[in-house]
Amino acid sequence: MPTDTADPRYDYALRPPRLPQPVDESLASAPIDLDVRLEMYRKLHLLRQWSKRAHDLFLQNLVKGTTHLSLGQEAVAAAFSSAMRPDDYTFATYRGHAHSLSRGMDPGEALAELLGRKNGVLGGKGGSMHLTDVTRGMMGSYAIIGAHLCIANGAAWSAQMRGTGQVAVCFFGDGTTNIGAFHEALNMAKIWNLPVVFVCENNLYMEYTPIDLVTAVPRPAADRAPAYGLEPIVVDGNDPDAVYLVAREAIERARRGEGPSLIEAQTYRHGGHSRADPGKYRPQSEVEAWKARDPIPMYHDRLLKLGTPEATLTGIERQVAEVVDAATEFAKNGPEPGLEDLLVNVWADGGAEWRN
Amino acid sequence: MAELSYREAVAYGIAQEMRRDPRLVMLGEDIAAAGGVFKTTVGLLEEFGPDRVRDTPISEQAIIGAAMGAAMTGIPVIAELMFSDFIAVTWDMIANEIAKTRYMTNGQVTLPLVIRTANGGGVRFGAQHSQSVENWCMMIPGLKVVAPATPTDVVGLMAASVRDPDPVIFFEHKALMATSEEIPDGEIVDTLGTARIRREGTDLTIAALAAMVPRALEAAEMLAADGISAEVIDVRSLVPLDTRTILQSVAKTGRFYTVEENPRVLGWGAELVSIVSHEAFWDLDGPCVRITTPHIPLPAASSLEDLAIPSVQKIYETVKRTIGGAP
Ligand SMILES: Cc1ncc(C[n+]2csc(CCOP(=O)(O)OP(=O)(O)O)c2C)c(N)n1
Ligand SMILES: [Mg+2]
């Protein structure tokens, strides 16, 4: 039914844009080692360049199905992974490429998985939404909203029982705070004092809908924290140093046996939700303001100001470009999986038999 | 030899495995101090302590998710869902996550976990606490499905399920809880994917599961009095499914019946009938016949529930009517 009174909540020209906070310049003097910062810089570039390549390959119809990129949100993955121990656990969503790569997944195997190739990290069986590399603590990318918060609890519970000091870090979106599993997971994590860090990447949209239209509180994660006896923690998700400091504290807290944390990292995706979505449901001024708060040039400037030679940074960028080119060749040259792979690995015996 | 009820056999079987494997833990609602709503976990808290026998909030997704996360990181787990109807509350965890993760990750993830749950009717709990939902799980690739009918099988199949590296859904039947038998001394370990011939016969084969097994056996007794010799097979394990035992039996008897507590459509018996009619077609002397609950939600009233679930009388009459060729 056509109406003549447009709903201002859905009129993107009228909707006030939600703008990023200004950069906190004092973070330049934060106590973070230079090699950690350079590693975060390398990761930012790897995630950016690799994801752009994945998008190009999607537009070339080499990536079928769907992809969910984290362009613009790289600082969260780069910083958290840098604050984690190699044996800590990562749980991510379908928007999980950045978290996989930043835990050390081979960029070629990750890209090959998107292309549905046999040399993909999952042999082509999982695809873009399920990147997993257990050997690197990347315990999976989960595509049904909410489930993996509960699963991350289980990994944290296991670490607690085994007494290993491992911590589980679980990433999810703002929209995920409205599903029941989010609430069940937070409650259980708290009552069992689990070594788990929940990280809400609040990019202001669940798919195509502004989060404030569908959420009872202004800060989807932070405003829920007190209901589970947790501190509301909000961080500038576009500043690697800010995220790193918060991540280090929450992870070490969990490691000391002081229980779970819930962190809301405010960020923004540069592109659409998935595939070739142009993201037209967002006010142009909002998109532009967030692109101007792109974590990568900001961090480049900060590192220069801290005295890093330009040549060091361009060297990192060039080296990443080579890695991404090599990954592309590796993926494109991979064979397609075939019948010999189809009936493999349903069961632990390697097979798929359900009857004798 | 000790006389053990089906209910006691659950805790007995779990304790056997928890003593063997010090990593094994369990979690669920009211399972620790309360000993379980069906008293199937009595004594476990006392023997194994609150770290290994954990009470949980009413959070079925968090329970099953925690089981999965622990299992994938090296801790074998037994999770309890109080009623099998509640599988629906955590169906995403079971059908989408637990069942598929090994395949989707091409074998990177192993999930040694058992989900135990009280299944089935006959106790007048009505439509939301009485369902036989083993078919829900059977139809999802990646889940193993077990439904024991006797105390000994509870213990042996529990051990087999816990020791299996894949996820197993373990259905404990509410109407069998009070039944009891002598169980053997020493460790009891059974094998998944094996059916048992409970009664030998020559004229027809009846495949039954869980609470339908004793009913089929009683009906077979009545048929024997009429000179009809029924072979009764306890299917025990829906996945893996022991079709060999069933096909061999049909090759001998030439007639195949299923007795299923589930509502009619797409019950496990339909799959078995399809296998038998394809692979044993030339052995058959008549049509395969399924005896099931009608395709309705289960009613609560005693009279109605008894009319719905296949009774001894109904099994007997159906066989008598159809064995001569009547529809
Ligand atoms: C249970 C469930 N409902 C709906 C979807 C479809 N879906 C996929 S992504 C998405 C939006 C999630 O938004 P958010 O949590 O903010 O994460 P983001 O995509 O922004 O990273 C939805 C609704 C789903 N995958 N699972
Ligand atoms: Mg979002």
Side-chain angles (χ1 to χ4, degrees):
Chain A
M1 272 257 286
T3 66
D4 48 8
T5 48
D7 185 333
R9 292 174 306 169
Y10 288 96
D11 186 328
Y12 301 116
L14 295 179
R15 247 185 89 76
R18 293 190 55 188
L19 301 176
Q21 54 187 295
V23 178
D24 178 357
E25 300 293 354
S26 74
L27 284 162
S29 54
I32 302 173
D33 292 346
L34 183 62
D35 42 344
V36 170
R37 282 184 152 133
L38 290 176
E39 176 61 3
M40 291 200 286
Y41 188 72
R42 186 191 68 80
K43 284 177 179 169
L44 289 174
H45 265 279
L46 174 65
L47 309 184
R48 177 67 53 92
Q49 294 188 31
W50 186 97
S51 301
K52 281 188 160 171
R53 182 62 50 85
H55 191 60
D56 291 347
L57 294 170
F58 182 83
L59 296 178
Q60 290 168 36
N61 204 23
L62 279 168
V63 176
K64 316 283 180 185
T66 188
T67 53
H68 302 75
L69 306 178
S70 305
L71 291 168
Q73 303 185 198
E74 296 91 345
V76 179
F80 259 94
S81 60
S82 300
M84 290 168 77
R85 225 165 66 176
D87 62 343
D88 285 339
Y89 297 125
T90 294
F91 288 83
T93 68
Y94 49 88
R95 200 180 300 290
H97 306 160
H99 297 296
S100 302
L101 294 169
S102 60
R103 287 308 304 279
M105 180 180 290
D106 181 82
E109 289 183 14
L111 207 49
E113 188 60 32
L114 268 61
L115 268 65
R117 302 302 165 95
K118 196 181 175 92
N119 55 349
V121 67
L122 312 173
K125 284 184 174 155
S128 171
M129 294 199 280
H130 298 293
L131 297 186
T132 305
D133 189 348
V134 167
T135 58
R136 294 186 168 85
M138 174 55 200
M139 303 309 286
S141 307
Y142 296 81
I144 314 264
I145 299 294
H148 72 302
L149 283 84
C150 299
I151 302 166
N153 270 349
W157 178 38
S158 149
Q160 186 185 60
M161 286 189 281
R162 289 179 286 115
T164 56
Q166 290 163 290
V167 173
V169 182
C170 179
F171 302 92
F172 53 91
D174 43 283
T176 303
T177 64
N178 290 325
I179 202 163
F182 168 86
H183 299 271
E184 291 193 13
L186 284 174
N187 184 60
M188 186 178 273
K190 178 66 182 180
I191 57 169
W192 288 9
N193 195 39
L194 296 177
V196 59
V197 180
F198 293 108
V199 185
C200 174
E201 296 183 62
N202 181 3
N203 60 13
L204 306 181
Y205 290 82
M206 53 145 289
E207 278 182 349
Y208 319 121
T209 303
I211 192 63
D212 51 290
L213 293 192
V214 291
T215 308
V217 289
R219 300 179 304 176
D223 290 339
R224 264 74 172 257
Y228 301 102
L230 301 172
E231 287 298 314
I233 303 173
V234 176
V235 64
D236 177 355
N238 279 18
D239 189 319
D241 288 338
V243 178
Y244 180 81
L245 293 175
V246 165
R248 190 167 63 182
E249 194 179 323
I251 291 167
E252 290 317 318
R253 232 178 76 81
R255 223 186 287 296
R256 286 195 304 270
E258 292 169 25
S261 302
L262 173 61
I263 294 164
E264 179 171 328
Q266 295 179 335
T267 184
Y268 203 76
R269 56 172 153 73
H270 287 178
H273 166 70
S274 66
R275 296 169 59 89
D277 165 30
K280 287 279 190 259
Y281 40 85
R282 308 185 297 184
Q284 194 52 37
S285 61
E286 184 182 281
V287 177
E288 278 160 18
W290 280 93
K291 281 192 171 166
R293 270 292 269 107
D294 186 333
I296 296 185
M298 183 280 285
Y299 210 50
H300 183 269
D301 288 354
R302 182 173 297 161
L303 286 167
L304 285 182
K305 277 188 205 137
L306 285 168
T308 314
E310 177 80 55
T312 305
L313 300 180
T314 47
I316 290 172
E317 291 157 29
R318 205 173 326 105
Q319 183 241 332
V320 165
E322 281 165 17
V323 166
V324 171
D325 284 342
T328 309
E329 285 314 300
F330 176 82
K332 279 183 168 173
N333 291 330
E336 293 190 338
L339 200 53
E340 72 280 11
D341 304 298
L342 186 67
L343 302 180
V344 170
N345 277 330
V346 172
W347 308 121
D349 68 7
E353 282 303 340
W354 57 275
R355 55 167 287 198
N356 62 10
Chain B
M1 300 276 270
E3 174 93 8
L4 221 57
S5 69
Y6 187 101
R7 174 194 322 285
E8 290 163 337
V10 175
Y12 185 93
I14 294 171
Q16 172 186 296
E17 293 308 297
M18 290 186 82
R19 278 178 213 128
R20 177 188 60 83
D21 186 347
R23 298 169 308 157
L24 181 62
V25 293
M26 57 185 301
L27 76 168
E29 293 159 25
D30 286 330
I31 65 165
V37 164
F38 295 98
K39 298 290 171 215
T40 45
T41 56
V42 170
L44 296 175
L45 172 70
E46 290 72 13
E47 180 170 356
F48 301 105
D51 288 342
R52 293 182 70 194
V53 183
R54 284 238 179 180
D55 275 329
T56 67
I58 311 167
S59 301
E60 277 74 11
Q61 298 186 78
I63 293 167
I64 303 303
M68 175 173 171
M72 74 197 287
T73 52
I75 298 280
V77 188
I78 300 175
E80 175 175 312
L81 290 174
M82 192 184 288
F83 284 81
S84 65
D85 314 70
F86 307 164
I87 282 178
V89 177
T90 184
W91 191 227
D92 174 42
M93 290 294 174
I94 296 174
N96 291 326
E97 310 298 347
I98 286 173
K100 294 175 174 54
T101 297
R102 181 173 192 89
Y103 188 77
M104 289 199 303
T105 63
N106 206 17
Q108 287 189 40
V109 171
T110 302
L111 294 174
L113 65 88
V114 178
I115 299 172
R116 304 170 35 240
T117 187
N119 193 46
V123 285
R124 312 348 182 172
F125 285 170
Q128 295 179 339
H129 290 73
S130 304
Q131 297 173 84
S132 289
V133 303
E134 56 275 14
N135 300 303
W136 296 0
C137 296
M138 183 189 189
M139 68 174 68
I140 305 295
L143 300 176
K144 294 183 176 173
V145 181
V146 177
T150 68
T152 308
D153 278 6
V154 167
V155 180
L157 291 174
M158 180 75 72
S161 301
V162 168
R163 296 178 194 198
D164 195 278
D166 293 311
V168 180
I169 318 297
F170 192 92
F171 289 99
E172 296 159 11
H173 203 290
K174 293 192 282 290
L176 295 174
M177 290 291 173
T179 61
S180 65
E181 68 178 356
E182 298 259 304
I183 70 155
D185 290 330
E187 191 182 66
I188 306 174
V189 187
D190 210 321
T191 311
L192 300 187
T194 55
R196 277 263 191 291
I197 297 175
R198 297 282 180 201
R199 177 194 175 103
E200 299 214 17
T202 51
D203 298 334
L204 71 148
T205 299
I206 303 177
L209 190 74
M212 296 300 101
V213 173
R215 295 191 187 191
L217 285 168
E218 236 186 283
E221 207 57 46
M222 292 166 68
L223 290 164
D226 294 350
I228 300 170
S229 166
E231 179 144 301
V232 176
I233 297 179
D234 178 353
V235 178
R236 303 198 321 154
S237 170
L238 293 177
V239 184
L241 186 61
D242 181 6
T243 53
R244 196 176 298 145
T245 298
I246 289 158
L247 290 166
Q248 276 166 2
S249 175
V250 174
K252 179 173 69 173
T253 63
R255 293 183 188 273
F256 186 57
Y257 288 77
T258 66
V259 185
E260 305 162 53
E261 190 176 328
N262 46 258
R264 179 79 186 178
V265 176
L266 290 176
W268 53 264
E271 185 61 45
L272 272 181
V273 163
S274 137
I275 289 169
V276 166
S277 58
H278 182 189
E279 297 172 34
F281 184 74
W282 304 106
D283 295 326
L284 287 171
D285 297 324
C288 300
V289 178
R290 293 177 61 213
I291 303 165
T292 74
T293 294
H295 207 60
I296 54 169
L298 270 184
S302 303
S303 58
L304 291 176
E305 193 182 36
D306 288 344
L307 283 169
I309 298 175
S311 62
V312 173
Q313 191 64 25
K314 177 156 182 213
I315 299 166
Y316 167 75
E317 283 168 8
T318 307
V319 172
K320 283 280 279 187
R321 191 180 72 242
T322 56
I323 197 153

